[in-house]
Amino acid sequence: MAHVMAWEQVCGQCPDVRKIDLLVGLPTFNHASTVESVVKAIVAGLEASCPSAAILFVNADAGSQDGTPELVRRTVGSVLPVASVQHIVGGMAASPFALLGLSDSGVPEREEAFRSFFTIAEELQAKACVVIDPNLLSVSPEWIERLAQPVLEKQADYVAPVFQRRRYEGSLTNSLIAPLTRALYGKRLACQTGGGYAFSGKLTNRYLQKDVWEGDAARFGIDSWLTTIAVAEGCNVWQAFLGTKVQDTKAGGLDLSVVLAQAVGASYHYMEHYQDRWESCTGSSPVPAIGLPYEPDTESVTINVDRMVKGFRQGLRDLLPIWETILAPDTLAGILTLGLADEEGFRFPIPLWVQTVYDFALAYHERVIHLEHLLKSLTPLYLGRTASLVLETKDGRPGEVERTVERVCETFEQMKPYLVGRWRFQ
């Protein structure tokens, strides 16, 4: 197994390392253009915030051909113990889904790198594990303190990143993933993915015991289930405000329907696994945070509302037979009404959006059609809701987007009995 081999490689390279306070993991794949600045920022952060800690730096590489591992060793080796390990790409069991474990980090099968980090952390009885993505242009030394300190000093089990975003950026997370997660498990998390994470030794051990490393769960990508397991199992979850996230992405150009199917599919997948946890959960509470919260950003990403509305209408023409199978009759009636509005007057009401997302969850649970087709058919509806968000808020005061997103979250919570009631009787 690749993770076992990783531990053996560490033993061979760092035979004197027996027990550590902190493992720092860096998954890489042909990141020579960015990795040196990332590593220097990490080392500076460790020297400033963890000067007396026993640390091991582990680079898990997926087969770089540009000298990335050598560059990491050369940059870190004079300061900290460092080990380079490899994880096997293409060794995952076959899955009925065509979805792949995609990540904007540019590291293929990134979950295998995490598995290696967690295995090594367990063997060395690490108190904490911090993982940073390698393609970041904005990582700073402060990231290390904000990620590691809650685990090392505040008994946090999981520290998730929160990044400063422009208006309308991350609309899939804000409109669907975060409010659904909040309604299900009762924790107000931003649910932003990638960049940097921190874990306690207790949580890394728990992750290793989970049956999530092969098959369908791993195909959805590790970011979603790192968060879901932590919140669903009652771990001490924190958030870290890390500033901006600027990256040299190698996974650009991904089809929106694939990205959406992967993210939403992960949420629906774990709903089945944690049904006993979320059915009885009511309300939500904030989680502790480190760093200063952000003021609303007045700069907007470019959104082509007309194209989104046209995408919704195209879906209405092409996917109506599928939606008739998935959606409850009153939900479908509301969707059909939206097709009559002109672009400027187009509004996708929040309660209708929430009921749509819940109907898709129920249809996923019932396997009413092939799951990949089901998940991808949500895309035009998501485009419609995103277009509506822009139209609702474009002339509003600063913070109007954030207030609207909060209303979405509250509506997911208020309408949760609709989901629970129908789930129990299916």
Side-chain angles (χ1 to χ4, degrees):
M1 298 293 288
H3 57 290
V4 176
M5 293 173 57
W7 168 239
E8 293 174 350
Q9 292 175 66
V10 169
C11 291
Q13 296 175 48
C14 303
D16 297 329
V17 177
R18 301 298 182 191
K19 186 176 180 180
I20 60 174
D21 298 311
L22 175 62
L23 184 146
V24 177
L26 186 73
T28 57
F29 180 65
N30 291 329
H31 285 102
S33 62
T34 57
V35 76
E36 185 173 8
S37 63
V38 171
V39 170
K40 287 181 177 178
I42 292 172
V43 170
L46 292 170
E47 291 176 334
S49 60
C50 309
S52 59
I55 300 169
L56 176 65
F57 194 108
V58 179
N59 171 212
D61 190 75
S64 294
Q65 301 298 311
D66 64 351
T68 293
E70 294 78 11
L71 187 55
V72 172
R73 283 198 300 270
R74 192 162 60 245
T75 307
V76 180
S78 62
V79 183
L80 295 170
V82 57
S84 297
V85 302
Q86 286 193 325
H87 69 266
I88 299 172
V89 176
M92 190 181 296
S95 166
F97 291 93
L99 305 177
L100 299 175
L102 301 168
S103 167
D104 60 10
S105 70
V107 179
E109 294 185 20
R110 182 161 152 268
E111 65 281 345
E112 287 301 319
F114 274 82
R115 193 178 191 182
S116 295
F117 298 144
F118 295 163
T119 299
I120 297 164
E122 181 181 46
E123 293 288 348
L124 295 174
Q125 303 175 55
K127 297 176 183 176
C129 175
V130 170
V131 179
I132 303 291
D133 280 333
N135 62 334
L136 301 169
L137 306 177
S138 57
V139 62
S140 69
E142 289 75 23
W143 283 32
I144 299 301
E145 178 183 6
R146 292 174 189 174
L147 291 169
Q149 185 186 65
V151 180
L152 293 174
E153 300 180 12
K154 304 292 184 180
Q155 290 75 54
D157 292 308
Y158 178 60
V159 185
V162 185
F163 297 103
Q164 173 78 63
R165 288 176 159 181
R166 293 175 292 171
R167 295 179 82 204
Y168 309 123
E169 190 175 8
S171 58
L172 176 59
T173 299
N174 293 337
S175 296
L176 203 166
I177 304 302
L180 177 60
T181 301
R182 169 172 158 175
L184 291 174
Y185 305 109
K187 297 297 182 183
R188 298 177 189 171
L189 280 170
C191 291
Q192 298 176 13
T193 59
Y197 299 97
F199 317 90
S200 68
K202 179 178 70 175
L203 183 55
T204 59
N205 295 346
R206 183 176 296 189
Y207 284 140
L208 287 172
Q209 296 166 12
K210 298 298 179 183
D211 184 20
V212 296
W213 298 100
E214 288 89 18
D216 296 346
R219 290 282 174 175
F220 287 124
I222 190 170
D223 298 276
S224 297
W225 61 259
L226 287 173
T227 300
T228 301
I229 290 173
V231 296
E233 300 198 1
C235 296
N236 185 7
V237 175
W238 282 55
Q239 294 189 136
F241 292 93
L242 299 180
T244 58
K245 180 184 178 182
V246 182
Q247 57 191 13
D248 177 22
T249 182
K250 297 188 177 187
L254 298 178
D255 185 83
L256 173 61
S257 65
V258 174
V259 174
L260 184 145
Q262 184 185 30
V264 180
S267 296
Y268 290 167
H269 177 88
Y270 292 110
M271 284 178 68
E272 299 187 322
H273 187 77
Y274 288 112
Q275 177 180 346
D276 60 329
R277 308 291 177 97
W278 63 259
E279 277 192 330
S280 59
C281 179
T282 59
S284 67
S285 59
V287 301
I290 185 169
L292 296 176
Y294 311 122
E295 293 295 325
D297 200 326
T298 57
E299 183 182 357
S300 300
V301 297
T302 301
I303 300 274
N304 190 325
V305 174
D306 180 65
R307 181 182 297 176
M308 286 187 165
V309 174
K310 287 180 179 177
F312 167 80
R313 289 184 172 148
Q314 186 68 45
L316 195 57
R317 290 189 292 270
D318 297 344
L319 300 174
L320 184 57
I322 294 178
W323 292 351
E324 288 174 335
T325 303
I326 295 170
L327 299 173
D330 56 334
T331 312
L332 181 62
I335 296 297
L336 292 173
T337 301
L338 299 181
L340 303 176
D342 59 28
E343 278 77 1
E344 192 60 32
F346 183 87
R347 296 293 186 275
F348 197 136
I350 292 173
L352 179 61
W353 168 243
V354 174
Q355 190 161 310
T356 298
V357 173
Y358 283 158
D359 280 355
F360 268 78
L362 293 160
Y364 183 101
H365 180 51
E366 284 294 294
R367 306 295 195 270
V368 298
I369 62 172
H370 186 279
L371 294 185
E372 186 177 346
H373 295 161
L374 180 149
L375 293 167
K376 288 186 175 181
S377 73
L378 181 58
T379 304
L381 297 163
Y382 161 72
L383 291 174
R385 176 55 209 161
T386 304
S388 183
L389 171 66
V390 177
L391 292 168
E392 293 164 20
T393 60
K394 64 178 183 176
D395 298 322
R397 304 185 310 277
E400 188 64 30
V401 173
E402 289 76 12
R403 287 187 287 271
T404 302
V405 168
E406 177 61 22
R407 287 196 295 273
V408 172
C409 291
E410 292 170 352
T411 306
F412 266 89
E413 291 187 39
Q414 293 161 3
M415 294 182 63
K416 187 177 176 182
Y418 171 87
L419 171 69
V420 173
R422 290 189 58 199
W423 188 285
R424 288 176 177 171
F425 291 102
Q426 285 193 343

